[in-house]
Amino acid sequence: MAQYYNLLRNGYEGYRLIQQACLDHGIFIAEEIEKMGMFDLLYDGRSALPGAAWMLKKDAGANFNLYDLSDKLRVRGWQIASYSLPSNCRDMVIQRVVIRHGFSHDMAQLLIDDIKRSIRQLNDHPAQSGLAEEEAGGFKH
């Protein structure tokens, strides 16, 4: 219902511009995540959904897992979902972001900066063992 209201309120072109901005922010985040070199990009935002999804590379040499990264980002105010995939891919843990109206380029840059900051903290202060999905707060979209 809200989407239809926004379409009526902003007109077709206005609504298209709003959705394009969301897609552009998702693409930006995906490109920045890929530049970090330690993630495999699963979704780059270049389709109908504004967002990005990635997983930690098996050979990334990280002292943490994605649940640890989600936990660290939650401290910074971000709710970034980390979860394992269905039963046939249970060993794959991914993170994803979904961009909504009102999310600006500045916020996208702040998210990337906070991800980099959190990775540095996790590398500088490694945990004895990484968090498990059950211990990570159970946050999922």
Side-chain angles (χ1 to χ4, degrees):
M1 190 65 160
Q3 289 175 331
Y4 184 64
Y5 168 78
N6 281 329
L7 177 62
L8 291 177
R9 180 171 181 244
N10 297 300
Y12 177 81
E13 185 60 19
Y15 189 76
R16 189 193 67 73
L17 290 172
I18 289 169
Q19 295 307 310
Q20 186 61 54
C22 293
L23 286 168
D24 292 345
H25 299 323
I27 292 168
F28 170 77
I29 290 169
E31 288 172 348
E32 293 299 310
I33 290 292
E34 191 169 39
K35 285 179 192 176
M36 291 180 201
M38 64 187 324
F39 300 104
D40 284 326
L41 207 55
L42 301 174
Y43 177 67
D44 66 1
R46 296 183 192 281
S47 188
L49 298 173
W54 59 89
M55 59 188 279
L56 199 57
K57 286 184 177 181
K58 298 228 186 270
D59 61 349
N63 296 326
F64 59 90
N65 61 37
L66 291 181
Y67 300 119
D68 297 324
L69 183 55
S70 278
D71 189 57
K72 190 60 79 174
L73 288 168
R74 198 171 301 118
V75 170
R76 306 277 314 160
W78 299 103
Q79 292 182 343
I80 306 297
S82 291
Y83 49 90
S84 59
L85 294 179
S87 59
N88 60 338
C89 301
R90 202 85 175 125
D91 61 329
M92 293 176 65
V93 176
I94 71 167
Q95 278 187 333
R96 71 177 169 100
V97 295
V98 178
I99 308 303
R100 64 181 181 90
H101 176 55
F103 189 85
S104 67
H105 182 77
D106 289 342
M107 290 174 74
Q109 184 62 60
L110 183 59
L111 171 60
I112 294 301
D113 293 345
D114 282 342
I115 290 172
K116 290 176 180 178
R117 182 180 297 110
S118 296
I119 290 170
R120 277 194 307 274
Q121 289 174 345
L122 287 164
N123 282 328
D124 291 347
H125 308 285
Q128 295 291 348
S129 64
L131 290 174
E133 186 171 9
E134 304 78 38
E135 299 169 315
F139 174 73
K140 295 182 182 180
H141 282 287

